[in-house]
Amino acid sequence: MISSLVFVVSGPGGVGKGTIVDALVERDPDLWLSRSWTTRQRRDGERPDAYVFATATEFEERIEADGFLEWTEFLGNYYGTPVPDGDLGGRDVVLEIEVDGAQQIKQLYPEAILIFVLPPSREEQRRRLRGRGDPGDRVLARLRKAEIEEPIGRALADHIVVNDDLEQTIGEMQRIITIERQGRADPR
Ligand code: ADP
Ligand code: 5GP
């Protein structure tokens, strides 16, 4: 993992992180997307492999076994990045995680690159959460949580991207990845 670049994509719920990283990984075979564990229920229409869906007991056993690079509790559920097993084949790593996890990864790998994604407005974030089918109380909880996450994310970020038009955002992220790879090839 150390010889790879580590891109941490973070930002408030519903901003579009999952959509963006799926597109990036599909278009760039040199990226490897970590699959997180969570104890939350799968959403209607969500891919079964979006996460490893685990019970709290399974999750806690993995914590005890030092099986996570980072983990946190978010709105009443556990989320964590498992320690990668196997060879990444030289690919760069993408983690799509919330800000507490991003802080932990920055401590572990100070050279990790944090891209913080923001919505064009809180109203648009609300529309996206509702459009995704999140129940009303979860929408409210995520919007409230966003108020806490955003200042932390902005302070921690190496790059800030506003996800207004999706294709433009993907292009901007690809440019950031290219620039960071050039930095690795040509360290100053
Ligand atoms: P996150 O992973 O940040 O919680 P998602 O990727 O699940 O967010 O996106 C939330 C919803 O917003 C999804 O329905 C997705 O299709 C939609 N979405 C993502 N990016 C955009 C965009 N730029 N414009 C409009 N809708 C978007
Ligand atoms: P959701 O329930 O919307 O899928 O995810 C809730 C939040 O948890 C999002 O901000 C998402 O990025 C974050 N998340 C997903 N996986 C992980 C993980 O492995 N670790 C941490 N710290 N956060 C995660």
Side-chain angles (χ1 to χ4, degrees), residues 17 36 40 51 70 72 79-81 96-98 101 142:
K17 302 178 295 294
S36 295
R40 83 150 160 76
Y51 284 99
E70 61 75 34
T72 196
Y79 292 81
T81 304
E96 191 250 284
I97 60 179
E98 52 69 65
R142 281 168 198 269

Side-chain angles (χ1 to χ4, degrees), residues 65-114:
D66 286 333
F68 291 110
L69 287 181
E70 61 75 34
W71 64 271
T72 196
E73 228 180 306
F74 182 91
L75 298 179
N77 285 297
Y78 289 130
Y79 292 81
T81 304
V83 176
D85 57 350
D87 185 9
L88 302 183
R91 286 173 293 175
D92 295 321
V93 173
V94 179
L95 306 180
E96 191 250 284
I97 60 179
E98 52 69 65
V99 288
D100 179 46
Q103 274 172 319
Q104 295 179 49
I105 293 292
K106 273 281 197 182
Q107 275 173 10
L108 206 56
Y109 305 110
E111 64 283 11
I113 301 138
L114 175 61

Side-chain angles (χ1 to χ4, degrees), residues 12-98:
V15 70
K17 302 178 295 294
T19 309
I20 297 164
V21 298
D22 282 350
L24 289 174
V25 167
E26 202 180 295
R27 297 177 197 192
D28 183 344
D30 293 326
L31 291 177
W32 178 83
L33 178 61
S34 167
R35 186 148 62 111
S36 295
W37 282 41
T38 185
T39 57
R40 83 150 160 76
Q41 297 290 308
R42 186 154 74 92
R43 278 193 292 265
D44 281 349
E46 189 172 39
R47 287 207 325 256
D49 64 351
Y51 284 99
V52 174
F53 292 96
T55 64
T57 306
E58 288 165 342
F59 200 102
E60 284 161 3
E61 281 172 2
R62 190 159 180 131
I63 295 172
E64 286 302 309
D66 286 333
F68 291 110
L69 287 181
E70 61 75 34
W71 64 271
T72 196
E73 228 180 306
F74 182 91
L75 298 179
N77 285 297
Y78 289 130
Y79 292 81
T81 304
V83 176
D85 57 350
D87 185 9
L88 302 183
R91 286 173 293 175
D92 295 321
V93 173
V94 179
L95 306 180
E96 191 250 284
I97 60 179
E98 52 69 65

